[in-house]
């Protein structure tokens, strides 16, 4: 029930997000895809560069 309420609130709030916030979210999701494609033996490994990217974001 709480998850559904959070989802509804997120959908209602999404048109009001700033463009900069959406760009940052897209960059984070793209980087997450890159990390997941690099994984070895079923486990994703973060490098130092991944950490720095997330800190800067």
């Amino acid at each position: 029930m709480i998850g559904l309420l959070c989802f509804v609130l997120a959908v209602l709030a999404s048109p009001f997000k700033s463009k900069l916030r959406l760009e940052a979210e897209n960059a984070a999701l793209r980087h997450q895809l890159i990390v997941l494609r690099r994984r070895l033996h079923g486990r994703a490994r973060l490098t130092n560069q991944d950490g720095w990217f997330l800190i800067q974001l």
Side-chain angles (χ1 to χ4, degrees):
M1 181 67 184
I2 293 174
L4 180 61
L5 179 62
C6 290
F7 175 73
V8 170
L9 290 175
V11 168
L12 292 175
S14 64
F16 302 107
K17 288 183 182 178
S18 70
K19 184 174 176 138
L20 183 61
R21 182 176 172 192
L22 288 174
E23 288 175 1
E25 185 178 351
N26 284 339
L29 291 172
R30 284 187 184 126
H31 188 74
Q32 184 180 13
L33 285 174
I34 290 169
V35 169
L36 290 174
R37 286 184 184 140
R38 249 193 347 230
R39 69 181 172 171
L40 298 173
H41 305 293
R43 182 170 180 177
R45 305 262 182 207
L46 294 177
T47 63
N48 289 337
Q49 290 139 348
D50 296 329
W52 282 110
F53 174 79
L54 294 173
I55 289 170
Q56 291 174 356
L57 189 62

